[in-house]
Amino acid sequence: MSMLPPPTSGDALPPANRMFGALPTVLSSLLAIAVALFAGAIVLALSGENPIPAFEALFSGAFGGQREIAETLVMATPLILGGLAFAVASRAGLFNIGIEGQMVVGGLCAGLVAAWDPGLAAVIHLPLAVLAGMVAGGFWGFVPGFLKAKTGAHEVITTIMLNYLAYRISTVVIGQEALPLVNPALQATQPAVDAARLPRLLEGTRLHAGILIALVAALAVWFLLYRTVFGYKIRTVGLSPGAAAFAGISWGRTIALAMLLSGLLAGLGGTVDALGLQGRYYNITLGLGFTSIAVGLVGRNTPFGVILAAVLFGALAAGATKMQNTAGISRDIVYVLLAFVILSVSGLAVVQQLRQAKRLTARARARTRDRAAEDAGDPMVEPPPPPRTI
Amino acid sequence: MALLTATLRSAAPLIFAAMGGLLCERSGVTNIALEGFMLMGAFAGVAGTWFSNSPIVGLLVAITVGAAGGFVFAFWAITLRADQIVAGTAIVLLGLGLTSFLTEQIWGQAGSSPGVERLPTIGLGMNVLLPVAFLLVPITHWFLFKTKPGLRVQACGEKPEAAQAVGINVAKYRYAMVVISGVLAAVGGAYLSIGDLSQFTTNMTAGRGFIALAAVIFGNWMPWATMGAALLFGFAQALRFHVQALDLPIPQDLIIALPYILTLIAITGLLRQSTPPAGIGRHASEG
């Protein structure tokens, strides 16, 4: 297999319209969400439910008061980290579908370290547990990055396989009767000791310090991507592996490290969920990995966009509980909405790119014509080709 | 003997989905949506049977739903030129969300449907769809390598530009293959829900769509080898239930993880060369 990377999703979602400012990006994301909600309303109506009270319950469950807003932020916390993980990989031109598995191993390792009780002080034990989760997630992300760099193995396939492998490992570890750190009957680790728990931020809510970690991580990712040489390398490799190679940037090294970073962030996502929200690691499919992909896509792979998108999806998750309780509608509709959001974002992005390409081509043609009219001796200038779409 | 039939029974749904995935990928469309199609098929099979009291009708409904799902995926992946992996992810989520949502809406209970009638069996706990799965393999081989449309499908997958240049309608062939993959994966799903079992449960395919995709890769995009991989993975699944009975000294969880480990090894080329269709994911008229 050739060492040059095949074109992947990163090419399809570059900030192509940066020149027009951030506003159209935000608008198009909002448009995509509106389209998805509308499609969701149709599904609700077809299944015999009135979508208006359903959406009212959804909204009030997400933003109806202090507790509801706190719950939205709680749900958004791991999604910010997962979305950042997806964004970093995407910027390097990789599609990290393995966030779920990286969260599982991250949460598992953090949960194990947190359940262990050698009587450490919180200033040591908590960072130790968080570090364990980050290292485990980072390793689980590094493996597919390394394999791709060395053998060209497509990261989508390897990460899907590593997801299932992560569940298996988690099931095996949690099921060990002999291990005092786990509770096989509950399919979880033993509860985290107080010294290893993320402190609660607001009494009477479930809001925990994980949200601060997530926000700091977003800031750090922004700094890394846009203010450091390494971030520049990641973006260059993602936008044009050929140009990066020409500039002397090692493609393999960069993508392996980008996947390490991506896994690190995902592992941190699993960690904050275990140490902040649950108080222990549960061996259940969280589905956070897939949602994180949607967060990254809707947030257009920018740290700030990821925060906004994570809050939106956090609101959906928080509101769905209320919708189920008051309107009697299965909260699984959220997954349907999520799928519609991904479909409409990916569909609209392409439509937008085509439009923009047409506009650019028309403008270039007009300029060429003007110049040709001014100076008949000038050779015709070729209009630039439209950007590649996948 | 019990282990043999259990292997065949576990492998059959994988073969359905894998043959669909193989045809789709051979035409140049990356298909990680198989899992979604399988879930839709499993659900539609039960829903169709429940409303009509006939598993044959249920199977037809599953086929229709699979075709519709395939059509949606094809529209995004081919006409809209959306990223095929992104669109595939959305189909998987759609399958998971819609089926569990509708299960609760239709039967008023979360998690599972009531029991329905099953497809007729041919003895030894095997249902009528099982031989069909194994018949599909020579048919797929014959179609891909011995017929004109099959060779054209390969052209679309290897070099879409060249195929386009000699007048092959690449988009049309890809549409056909994606829709067929949706139908076959949905039949694989229905095999589980109204063939092996007699009800639908949330996420009942449990990653079989991804394992089928793994079988395609492990089988190096060749029909017979893919069937071999599906049998191997089916054997791993069947063995899991026999480990305790046979008192084998292998941890059960290692056996369940076998397909994933083998696929990782296969795709990194450690075992042998793994070569996907050269034009996969590329469109005929770019740039």
Side-chain angles (χ1 to χ4, degrees), chain B residues 156-176:
Chain B
C156 295
E158 295 296 335
K159 210 129 192 73
E161 303 85 354
Q164 185 95 317
V166 296
I168 297 173
N169 189 338
V170 176
K172 196 177 81 184
Y173 277 91
R174 287 184 170 174
Y175 253 93

mmCIF file of all heavy atoms in Angstrom, chain B residues 156-176:
data_model
loop_
_atom_site.group_PDB
_atom_site.id
_atom_site.type_symbol
_atom_site.label_atom_id
_atom_site.label_comp_id
_atom_site.label_asym_id
_atom_site.label_seq_id
_atom_site.Cartn_x
_atom_site.Cartn_y
_atom_site.Cartn_z
ATOM 1 N N CYS B 156 -15.750 0.651 -12.347
ATOM 2 C CA CYS B 156 -16.172 1.824 -11.575
ATOM 3 C C CYS B 156 -15.385 1.922 -10.273
ATOM 4 O O CYS B 156 -15.090 3.014 -9.797
ATOM 5 C CB CYS B 156 -17.659 1.750 -11.241
ATOM 6 S SG CYS B 156 -18.718 1.832 -12.678
ATOM 7 N N GLY B 157 -15.059 0.765 -9.713
ATOM 8 C CA GLY B 157 -14.363 0.776 -8.444
ATOM 9 C C GLY B 157 -12.868 0.982 -8.583
ATOM 10 O O GLY B 157 -12.232 1.569 -7.715
ATOM 11 N N GLU B 158 -12.294 0.483 -9.672
ATOM 12 C CA GLU B 158 -10.846 0.583 -9.811
ATOM 13 C C GLU B 158 -10.424 1.914 -10.418
ATOM 14 O O GLU B 158 -9.472 2.541 -9.984
ATOM 15 C CB GLU B 158 -10.325 -0.565 -10.696
ATOM 16 C CG GLU B 158 -10.510 -1.946 -10.099
ATOM 17 C CD GLU B 158 -9.712 -2.153 -8.826
ATOM 18 O OE1 GLU B 158 -8.689 -1.478 -8.633
ATOM 19 O OE2 GLU B 158 -10.139 -2.993 -8.000
ATOM 20 N N LYS B 159 -11.127 2.340 -11.460
ATOM 21 C CA LYS B 159 -10.720 3.557 -12.157
ATOM 22 C C LYS B 159 -11.953 4.271 -12.681
ATOM 23 O O LYS B 159 -12.311 4.148 -13.856
ATOM 24 C CB LYS B 159 -9.772 3.183 -13.305
ATOM 25 C CG LYS B 159 -8.766 4.264 -13.597
ATOM 26 C CD LYS B 159 -7.350 3.752 -13.638
ATOM 27 C CE LYS B 159 -6.350 4.884 -13.651
ATOM 28 N NZ LYS B 159 -6.250 5.536 -12.335
ATOM 29 N N PRO B 160 -12.626 5.012 -11.804
ATOM 30 C CA PRO B 160 -13.899 5.620 -12.215
ATOM 31 C C PRO B 160 -13.739 6.548 -13.424
ATOM 32 O O PRO B 160 -14.618 6.588 -14.286
ATOM 33 C CB PRO B 160 -14.344 6.379 -10.969
ATOM 34 C CG PRO B 160 -13.182 6.421 -10.051
ATOM 35 C CD PRO B 160 -12.315 5.256 -10.399
ATOM 36 N N GLU B 161 -12.608 7.243 -13.515
ATOM 37 C CA GLU B 161 -12.420 8.169 -14.642
ATOM 38 C C GLU B 161 -12.418 7.395 -15.958
ATOM 39 O O GLU B 161 -13.037 7.794 -16.938
ATOM 40 C CB GLU B 161 -11.101 8.941 -14.508
ATOM 41 C CG GLU B 161 -10.959 9.734 -13.225
ATOM 42 C CD GLU B 161 -10.420 8.905 -12.073
ATOM 43 O OE1 GLU B 161 -10.252 7.680 -12.237
ATOM 44 O OE2 GLU B 161 -10.183 9.478 -10.997
ATOM 45 N N ALA B 162 -11.664 6.266 -15.973
ATOM 46 C CA ALA B 162 -11.576 5.464 -17.188
ATOM 47 C C ALA B 162 -12.944 4.891 -17.548
ATOM 48 O O ALA B 162 -13.338 4.892 -18.723
ATOM 49 C CB ALA B 162 -10.562 4.343 -16.994
ATOM 50 N N ALA B 163 -13.659 4.411 -16.515
ATOM 51 C CA ALA B 163 -14.984 3.856 -16.761
ATOM 52 C C ALA B 163 -15.885 4.914 -17.395
ATOM 53 O O ALA B 163 -16.590 4.660 -18.366
ATOM 54 C CB ALA B 163 -15.587 3.344 -15.454
ATOM 55 N N GLN B 164 -15.805 6.115 -16.820
ATOM 56 C CA GLN B 164 -16.592 7.233 -17.344
ATOM 57 C C GLN B 164 -16.215 7.493 -18.803
ATOM 58 O O GLN B 164 -17.069 7.704 -19.653
ATOM 59 C CB GLN B 164 -16.301 8.481 -16.500
ATOM 60 C CG GLN B 164 -17.139 9.665 -16.864
ATOM 61 C CD GLN B 164 -18.353 9.738 -15.955
ATOM 62 O OE1 GLN B 164 -19.003 8.726 -15.676
ATOM 63 N NE2 GLN B 164 -18.655 10.910 -15.467
ATOM 64 N N ALA B 165 -14.908 7.450 -19.085
ATOM 65 C CA ALA B 165 -14.410 7.794 -20.411
ATOM 66 C C ALA B 165 -14.915 6.827 -21.473
ATOM 67 O O ALA B 165 -15.111 7.213 -22.615
ATOM 68 C CB ALA B 165 -12.878 7.828 -20.404
ATOM 69 N N VAL B 166 -15.086 5.535 -21.105
ATOM 70 C CA VAL B 166 -15.578 4.595 -22.111
ATOM 71 C C VAL B 166 -17.097 4.515 -22.103
ATOM 72 O O VAL B 166 -17.675 3.604 -22.674
ATOM 73 C CB VAL B 166 -14.976 3.181 -21.935
ATOM 74 C CG1 VAL B 166 -13.481 3.212 -22.141
ATOM 75 C CG2 VAL B 166 -15.327 2.604 -20.581
ATOM 76 N N GLY B 167 -17.720 5.465 -21.434
ATOM 77 C CA GLY B 167 -19.168 5.592 -21.546
ATOM 78 C C GLY B 167 -19.967 4.823 -20.515
ATOM 79 O O GLY B 167 -21.167 4.651 -20.655
ATOM 80 N N ILE B 168 -19.304 4.324 -19.460
ATOM 81 C CA ILE B 168 -20.050 3.655 -18.403
ATOM 82 C C ILE B 168 -20.627 4.707 -17.468
ATOM 83 O O ILE B 168 -19.920 5.625 -17.056
ATOM 84 C CB ILE B 168 -19.129 2.693 -17.611
ATOM 85 C CG1 ILE B 168 -18.611 1.583 -18.522
ATOM 86 C CG2 ILE B 168 -19.866 2.103 -16.413
ATOM 87 C CD1 ILE B 168 -17.574 0.693 -17.876
ATOM 88 N N ASN B 169 -21.898 4.576 -17.164
ATOM 89 C CA ASN B 169 -22.525 5.506 -16.230
ATOM 90 C C ASN B 169 -22.150 5.086 -14.801
ATOM 91 O O ASN B 169 -22.817 4.263 -14.186
ATOM 92 C CB ASN B 169 -24.038 5.495 -16.434
ATOM 93 C CG ASN B 169 -24.713 6.590 -15.636
ATOM 94 O OD1 ASN B 169 -24.168 7.088 -14.651
ATOM 95 N ND2 ASN B 169 -25.900 6.978 -16.082
ATOM 96 N N VAL B 170 -21.040 5.669 -14.303
ATOM 97 C CA VAL B 170 -20.498 5.249 -13.012
ATOM 98 C C VAL B 170 -21.530 5.411 -11.906
ATOM 99 O O VAL B 170 -21.738 4.514 -11.092
ATOM 100 C CB VAL B 170 -19.215 6.045 -12.683
ATOM 101 C CG1 VAL B 170 -18.706 5.686 -11.302
ATOM 102 C CG2 VAL B 170 -18.147 5.773 -13.731
ATOM 103 N N ALA B 171 -22.202 6.562 -11.909
ATOM 104 C CA ALA B 171 -23.167 6.836 -10.836
ATOM 105 C C ALA B 171 -24.268 5.781 -10.827
ATOM 106 O O ALA B 171 -24.675 5.303 -9.769
ATOM 107 C CB ALA B 171 -23.752 8.232 -11.004
ATOM 108 N N LYS B 172 -24.735 5.380 -12.023
ATOM 109 C CA LYS B 172 -25.826 4.420 -12.100
ATOM 110 C C LYS B 172 -25.400 3.072 -11.515
ATOM 111 O O LYS B 172 -26.121 2.479 -10.710
ATOM 112 C CB LYS B 172 -26.250 4.249 -13.563
ATOM 113 C CG LYS B 172 -27.599 3.593 -13.741
ATOM 114 C CD LYS B 172 -27.993 3.512 -15.202
ATOM 115 C CE LYS B 172 -27.319 2.327 -15.891
ATOM 116 N NZ LYS B 172 -27.601 2.264 -17.334
ATOM 117 N N TYR B 173 -24.216 2.617 -11.890
ATOM 118 C CA TYR B 173 -23.734 1.328 -11.370
ATOM 119 C C TYR B 173 -23.545 1.395 -9.855
ATOM 120 O O TYR B 173 -23.837 0.456 -9.130
ATOM 121 C CB TYR B 173 -22.427 0.912 -12.061
ATOM 122 C CG TYR B 173 -22.685 0.238 -13.378
ATOM 123 C CD1 TYR B 173 -22.750 0.970 -14.561
ATOM 124 C CD2 TYR B 173 -22.902 -1.131 -13.449
ATOM 125 C CE1 TYR B 173 -23.012 0.360 -15.770
ATOM 126 C CE2 TYR B 173 -23.170 -1.754 -14.648
ATOM 127 C CZ TYR B 173 -23.221 -1.006 -15.815
ATOM 128 O OH TYR B 173 -23.501 -1.615 -17.004
ATOM 129 N N ARG B 174 -23.011 2.525 -9.390
ATOM 130 C CA ARG B 174 -22.791 2.637 -7.948
ATOM 131 C C ARG B 174 -24.120 2.670 -7.196
ATOM 132 O O ARG B 174 -24.273 2.020 -6.162
ATOM 133 C CB ARG B 174 -21.974 3.894 -7.641
ATOM 134 C CG ARG B 174 -20.521 3.720 -8.043
ATOM 135 C CD ARG B 174 -19.675 4.906 -7.663
ATOM 136 N NE ARG B 174 -18.268 4.590 -7.867
ATOM 137 C CZ ARG B 174 -17.286 5.467 -7.730
ATOM 138 N NH1 ARG B 174 -17.556 6.716 -7.388
ATOM 139 N NH2 ARG B 174 -16.048 5.102 -7.920
ATOM 140 N N TYR B 175 -25.090 3.404 -7.752
ATOM 141 C CA TYR B 175 -26.417 3.424 -7.127
ATOM 142 C C TYR B 175 -26.936 2.002 -6.980
ATOM 143 O O TYR B 175 -27.397 1.589 -5.918
ATOM 144 C CB TYR B 175 -27.398 4.239 -7.984
ATOM 145 C CG TYR B 175 -27.747 5.582 -7.388
ATOM 146 C CD1 TYR B 175 -27.035 6.720 -7.727
ATOM 147 C CD2 TYR B 175 -28.791 5.710 -6.487
ATOM 148 C CE1 TYR B 175 -27.339 7.947 -7.189
ATOM 149 C CE2 TYR B 175 -29.114 6.933 -5.934
ATOM 150 C CZ TYR B 175 -28.390 8.055 -6.289
ATOM 151 O OH TYR B 175 -28.697 9.259 -5.739
ATOM 152 N N ALA B 176 -26.843 1.243 -8.090
ATOM 153 C CA ALA B 176 -27.372 -0.121 -8.073
ATOM 154 C C ALA B 176 -26.686 -0.941 -6.992
ATOM 155 O O ALA B 176 -27.346 -1.646 -6.217
ATOM 156 C CB ALA B 176 -27.172 -0.760 -9.442
#
